[in-house]
Each structure stands twice: as structure tokens, then as C-alpha cells.
Amino acid sequence: MDSRSHTHVTAGLRLCLHALLTGLLALASLRAVGEDAPHAAAVVGLSVLMASLYAAGALAGSVRLRSRAEERDAAAEKPEALAAASRSQADGRAATSAARAAFAAPLGAGVAALWLAGLCALWLALLVLSPDALWVAFPLYFLQLHLLPTRWALPAVVVTAAAAITGFVVHRQEIAPGAFIGPLLGAAVAVATVLGYDALFRESERRRELIVELVATRADLAEAERTAGTLAERERLAREIHDTLAQGLSSIQLLLRAAERSLPDADPAAVHVRAAREAAQANLAEARSFVRALTPPDLEHGSLAAALERLCARTTGPELTVRFAVSGSPAELPTPYEVALLRTAQSALANTVRHARAGRAEITLSFMDTSVALDVVDDGQGFDPSGAPVQERGDGGFGLPAMRARAGSLGGVLSVESAPGQGTAVAVTLPLPVADRERAA
């Protein structure tokens, strides 16, 4: 909701307050003159003086009733003020006090307090002279509730109501139920109106902020989905080229090399076999360059360990610390293995950031004789793994089923250990290919 939609409401309330105070002062003056009261001249003089003081404060701009919406719009032009307003909204009482103190902007709450004290002093003097000044207490309730913090506004309203009741009793020389019901009911209505409006406005602000956050999140999610789709397609093409074209060219090269060795050097076919082998070798190198070009950007400029370390550094923030460790002797892994482990780490960390509310997380990459393992552990709120979704997302999203399917495509397994309030541990283990085992041995 646009906060500026509140300015029309507050402008109307401001005009009503001006009209109410002016009308009640005029009523007190007219009745004093019409009834030929003993202090009619003094009543008229005090009424004019009080109206003049009120008008001076309202027109000068130093004392101006403003809603929180108007305060925020003005503060938006000043980063420091906007930051202060945001901090005050985090504390309900501070937010209410700040909004009401806006009545005194831009000269400060001190000017507003002096202005209000002057109005109350003139009203008390007028109440001593005329019983009709009792009704002026009603606009004063609203002024006190808007100008003062809650801890001072409510006692001020109570004191004002007590003064109005006392003035009525002294002037009428009788105790009637109306003398108590009128001021107290007016005070209750004023308190309920102001505090109710504050509560509604805070709720409106929370909804507005939620809508802004949802719109921003939706845009971020759409961008993340596009990026994930692009990277998933690149990975798929890399796997297809590696598993079909590159492997086929490698087999052709080996067969041609064997054929070349079986032919005598003087055999005319040896030249053609050598040319075919060299062409297959060149195309194999080109296919492998395509595979390297289609690998994730994080793996283009370093090893898997370096990519995981950069991932931890990017994810670490004020509320979450992510550490990385390597166990065993690092070995070069096939590109599909590196991609699978990196994607699993990214997915697990994304879940930690979004859902776990964790303060610490750790990624461990372990190289063993026959396998490689990746562990992602956090100290977050945990969850029930049996309640996790069992269907894999069709868009290749960051779910546990997607991680499990990625590990299963390479002959590995994914395990999840978690419980509510006990953090989460995600572990993926991939068996090393035979060639890599032999090199490690």
C-alpha cells in the first residue's frame, strides 16, 4: 500500500481538530458574553489568546500534526533520518514515540512540549473562569496523545480529565453523573482512536514492507531460476559431450593407434591410418575444450577446493559464519564429480540460509582411497527428514531429491541427518573411478 494514501486521512483529521478547538473556544466566549458572566471579558481574552497560540504553532510549521507516512516521506530525503526511523520501528514503543514526536518537526519535541504546556496553562485559566471551557479538554486529549510519548500522554490525559471534572463540579456546585461520564468517555474515545489508528498504521506498514519484500524475492527467485536453468543445461551438454562424443573419439583414437602399430611402415594404408588417428585426436581435444567451456564458472579458475572456499566466503555474513576444510590428500576429480559436489554444496548452503536460521555452518571435502565425500553441517533449527518432499522438482531446483538424484547418477549416495532443534548434516559420497583410484594409489 502506498503510504501517501494516508496523507489525505491525516489532513482531514488535522482540519477537524482545528475546527473543533476553534469552535469550542468560540462557544465558550459567546456563552460568557451572552449570559453576561462576571468575567466575560477575561474569558474572551483567554479564548482569543489560546486560539492565537494554537494557530501560531499550527501555521509556523514547527508544530504540525504529521502521520508516520508523512514523516517517512520526509525522512526518505535524508538517509540518516530514514535509518533512524527504520530502527525506531523495530521497537513498538519507540516507533509510537517517534511518530508522535513528529508533531514537533522540524524544531524538535522540546518546542512542541512548550507549546502544549502553554495551551494547557491557558485552558486551566479559562476553566477557572468559565464552566464551558470543560469541552476544550476533548481536542487537548488528541494533542497530548499525538505530541507526547505513551508513558507521558496517558497520565496527561487523566490529569486533564480530572481537571475538567473538578472545574465542572466547582462551577455547578453539584456532583452529577454527567460531570464524570462526559470527560472520562471523551478521554477513552480519544485514547482508543489514537492508539487504534497507530495499531492500524503499523499493520499497514508491515504489510507494505512484506509486499515489497515478496516482490523483491520473486524477482530474485526468477533470476536464480534462470541462472540455475542455464547452468543445468550447460552441465547436461557437458555430460553428453563427455559421455558420448569424447568417449567415442577416444575409442576411435585407440583403435587407430592399434591398427597403425599392426601395419608395416611401408604399407600405403599406414599413412591414411595415421592421418585418421591424428584427426580423431584433434577432434577429441576440441571436444574436451567444449566440456571445459561448459563447466560451472566457479570451476573455471581453480580446483574444487578453491571453488568451495569461495562459496563459503560469499555465504558468510553477519548472521552466518561458514567455514571450509579439506581432509585427506586432494586429488584431481573428473569434471562431472566436481560439478556434482559443488552443486550439492551450493544447494545445502542455500537451504541453510533460507530455512535453518543457523549461526555456523561447515563444509568438509574428504578424499579417501576409493571415494570422495562432501559434508555440510549447520547448527540451525533442523527438521524432520521424513517430512521432506519426496518428488524431485522438475526445474532442477535446490531440493534434497535433486541432490540425491545428482549423487545417484554418479553411483554415489546422499544421506541427511537432522532433527528439530539439533541442526542438519548433509553428506554425499561418490566412488572414485578406477583410473583415479590407480593414480591415487
Side-chain angles (χ1 to χ4, degrees), residues 11-293:
L13 293 175
R14 192 160 54 239
L15 291 176
C16 290
L17 183 62
H18 297 340
L20 179 62
L21 183 64
T22 304
L24 291 175
L25 289 175
L27 176 63
S29 300
L30 291 175
R31 293 197 57 165
V33 173
E35 296 177 359
D36 197 17
H39 306 288
V43 170
V44 173
L46 286 173
S47 297
V48 172
L49 184 59
M50 186 174 179
S52 300
L53 178 61
Y54 180 83
L59 295 176
S62 61
V63 183
R64 179 171 174 266
L65 183 59
R66 306 202 308 175
S67 69
R68 250 189 298 267
E70 292 173 297
E71 179 189 11
R72 189 184 63 253
D73 292 340
E77 300 176 359
K78 301 178 181 179
E80 297 84 358
L82 181 59
S86 299
R87 287 192 298 271
S88 67
Q89 282 188 345
D91 185 344
R93 292 178 299 175
T96 303
S97 301
R100 290 167 181 163
F103 194 103
L107 295 185
V111 175
L114 292 176
W115 178 77
L116 179 61
L119 287 177
C120 291
L122 291 174
W123 173 71
L124 289 174
L126 188 61
L127 185 62
V128 172
L129 300 177
S130 172
D132 296 316
L134 166 121
W135 310 112
V136 182
F138 293 103
L140 288 180
Y141 294 153
F142 288 96
L143 292 176
Q144 291 163 350
L145 289 168
H146 277 289
L147 281 169
L148 302 176
T150 304
R151 65 179 181 275
W152 298 113
L154 294 179
V157 169
V158 173
V159 171
T160 302
I165 295 172
T166 303
F168 184 88
V169 172
V170 170
H171 282 289
R172 300 297 182 184
Q173 296 297 320
E174 63 178 352
I175 299 177
F180 295 88
I181 295 176
L184 293 178
L185 183 61
V189 170
V191 170
T193 300
V194 173
L195 297 185
Y197 179 80
D198 284 348
L200 289 175
F201 187 82
R202 284 195 297 269
E203 180 65 22
S204 174
E205 284 297 281
R206 283 194 292 268
R207 292 186 178 183
R208 183 190 64 83
E209 293 170 0
L210 178 61
I211 291 173
V212 171
E213 183 179 353
L214 287 175
V215 171
T217 302
R218 184 172 62 181
D220 293 341
L221 181 59
E223 181 62 27
E225 293 293 344
R226 285 194 294 269
T227 303
T230 301
L231 293 178
E233 182 63 15
R234 292 177 61 179
E235 293 174 26
R236 187 188 69 81
L237 291 175
R239 288 196 301 269
E240 292 295 332
I241 294 174
H242 179 272
D243 296 340
T244 57
L245 181 61
Q247 293 296 336
L249 290 173
S250 179
S251 299
I252 293 173
Q253 180 187 6
L254 292 176
L255 292 173
L256 289 174
R257 186 184 298 276
E260 183 181 2
R261 290 175 179 174
S262 65
L263 293 174
D265 294 338
D267 194 324
V271 177
H272 300 290
V273 171
R274 185 181 302 109
R277 180 183 60 78
E278 292 174 353
Q281 184 177 2
N283 281 274
L284 177 60
E286 187 70 18
R288 286 173 174 171
S289 69
F290 280 132
V291 172
R292 286 193 298 270

Side-chain angles (χ1 to χ4, degrees), residues 232-418:
E233 182 63 15
R234 292 177 61 179
E235 293 174 26
R236 187 188 69 81
L237 291 175
R239 288 196 301 269
E240 292 295 332
I241 294 174
H242 179 272
D243 296 340
T244 57
L245 181 61
Q247 293 296 336
L249 290 173
S250 179
S251 299
I252 293 173
Q253 180 187 6
L254 292 176
L255 292 173
L256 289 174
R257 186 184 298 276
E260 183 181 2
R261 290 175 179 174
S262 65
L263 293 174
D265 294 338
D267 194 324
V271 177
H272 300 290
V273 171
R274 185 181 302 109
R277 180 183 60 78
E278 292 174 353
Q281 184 177 2
N283 281 274
L284 177 60
E286 187 70 18
R288 286 173 174 171
S289 69
F290 280 132
V291 172
R292 286 193 298 270
L294 291 171
T295 55
D298 288 334
L299 295 174
E300 291 179 355
H301 306 290
S303 63
L304 173 63
L308 291 173
E309 192 167 2
R310 288 194 297 269
L311 174 63
C312 294
R314 287 197 307 267
T315 310
T316 296
E319 299 180 356
L320 177 63
T321 301
V322 185
R323 302 185 182 278
F324 174 68
V326 178
S327 175
S329 301
E332 184 177 355
L333 299 174
T335 299
Y337 280 60
E338 292 186 339
V339 171
L341 294 174
L342 177 61
R343 290 291 180 246
T344 301
Q346 290 173 334
S347 302
L349 271 187
N351 289 335
T352 298
V353 172
R354 294 176 183 175
H355 310 298
R357 297 180 183 176
R360 292 180 301 171
E362 183 171 353
I363 297 179
T364 303
L365 180 62
S366 303
F367 292 91
M368 294 168 281
D369 293 338
T370 60
S371 62
V372 59
L374 178 78
D375 298 280
V376 182
V377 183
D378 65 61
D379 63 352
Q381 61 184 1
F383 68 100
D384 183 6
S386 62
V390 297
Q391 284 188 335
E392 183 178 1
R393 290 175 51 182
D395 58 359
F398 294 142
L400 290 176
M403 289 188 275
R404 186 172 286 108
R406 191 186 297 275
S409 66
L410 297 174
V413 293
L414 179 85
S415 62
V416 180
E417 296 181 4
S418 183

